[in-house]
Amino acid sequence: MTKPRILMARAVFPELITRLEQHFEVEHNQADEAWTTQQLAAKLHDKVGLFTTGSERIDEQVLAAAPKLKICANMAVGYNNFDLPAMTARKVLATNSPDVLTETTADFGFALLMATARRVTESEHYLRAGKWQRWSYDMFSGSDVHGSTLGILGMGRIGQGIARRGAHGFGMDVIYHNRSRLAPELEAECKARYVGKEELLRTADHLVLVLPYSPSSHHAIGAAELALMKPTANLINIARGGIVDDAALAAALRDKRIAAAGLDVFEGEPKIHPDLLTVPNVVLTPHIASATVPTRKAMANLAADNLIGFLVHGKPLTPLNPEVLK
Ligand code: DGY
């Protein structure tokens, strides 16, 4: 019997290909070539399944060229690369990889917060450039993390992980804003207090963004929001590019309207707004918040579980548009 045909859009752990080949005829991309949308669409014409990593846009143009496609499995919790209504209209199931990355991503959010507050990369660059001649009392003075106010915008699982780290590990006063308020027992566990967005912006010493990207969260942090923040505050974005207006942020950093920023995600990444590359008070990382080997393996395996679960057993694990299953 011929096996169903699937396409891997990007390179992944080799053992994952071996695992998938037990169930499918796999066209892989272990060379990690950058396919255009047209190339991706052409490769999909005879495939029933697609493995994506969050950087491949699946929209009407791609779907129209893929008449046999039944499932796109994202190796990412975020799925703004999917046009979900278009997929649902064409009865293509979408899945993501939640939960398995929560704690790792929360760890990184905290790492970025610490590095930003204590000017870790800025001072390292200074040292590596051979500029350190003498110690002085005010060298690279940053802001305290312990005992300060941690603001979290977007209080899903990752936001809660960051809140727990801040409250329990660093004695921070945690405030948050979210579309909906957490249940009282979750608020108690995270020691987090719900506030309006304006109060969050005005009060936080460290503001961490963890909300999903959607047209309604586009530029949720722009010039007006940055103007409400304390001049001593730090902004951390581990959510998605486009949630922050990067041009407005670069201007605020340059003019010291906020103290510093830590950014793992960017508008139009991997391109970076050129002004962000010229300001010293920003820590920049290339979208690595979930990047530990065990977590990336767990994410890849969950995407594979979704392909196998749906195409072989009819039961995906983490469907995003379950109405397609009816
Ligand atoms: C996610 O899972 O959404 C992360 O941003 C990695 O892509």
Side-chain angles (χ1 to χ4, degrees), residues 54-67:
S55 29
E56 297 76 41
R57 177 94 189 128
I58 306 303
D59 57 13
E60 184 53 32
Q61 186 190 348
V62 172
L63 295 168

Side-chain angles (χ1 to χ4, degrees), residues 294-309:
T295 291
R296 285 282 162 89
K297 284 193 172 170
M299 292 164 71
N301 273 301
L302 181 49
D305 289 343
N306 273 308
L307 287 166
I308 298 165

Side-chain angles (χ1 to χ4, degrees), residues 184-202:
E185 56 275 18
L186 270 180
E187 281 192 353
E189 193 187 311
C190 297
K191 292 194 178 176
R193 186 165 57 85
Y194 183 84
V195 295
K197 186 176 171 187
E198 185 172 331
E199 185 179 343
L200 185 85
L201 293 164
R202 287 189 189 282

Side-chain angles (χ1 to χ4, degrees), residues 135-150:
W135 180 91
S136 67
Y137 76 96
D138 59 350
M139 271 176 81
F140 295 104
S141 297
S143 28
D144 273 328
V145 173
H146 71 275
S148 64
T149 298
L150 170 62

Side-chain angles (χ1 to χ4, degrees), residues 114-151:
M114 296 290 289
T116 304
R118 299 305 307 274
R119 304 175 67 178
V120 171
T121 57
E122 194 186 346
S123 59
E124 186 189 350
H125 291 151
Y126 172 88
L127 180 151
R128 283 181 186 272
K131 293 181 183 166
W132 187 26
Q133 302 300 328
R134 294 174 75 200
W135 180 91
S136 67
Y137 76 96
D138 59 350
M139 271 176 81
F140 295 104
S141 297
S143 28
D144 273 328
V145 173
H146 71 275
S148 64
T149 298
L150 170 62

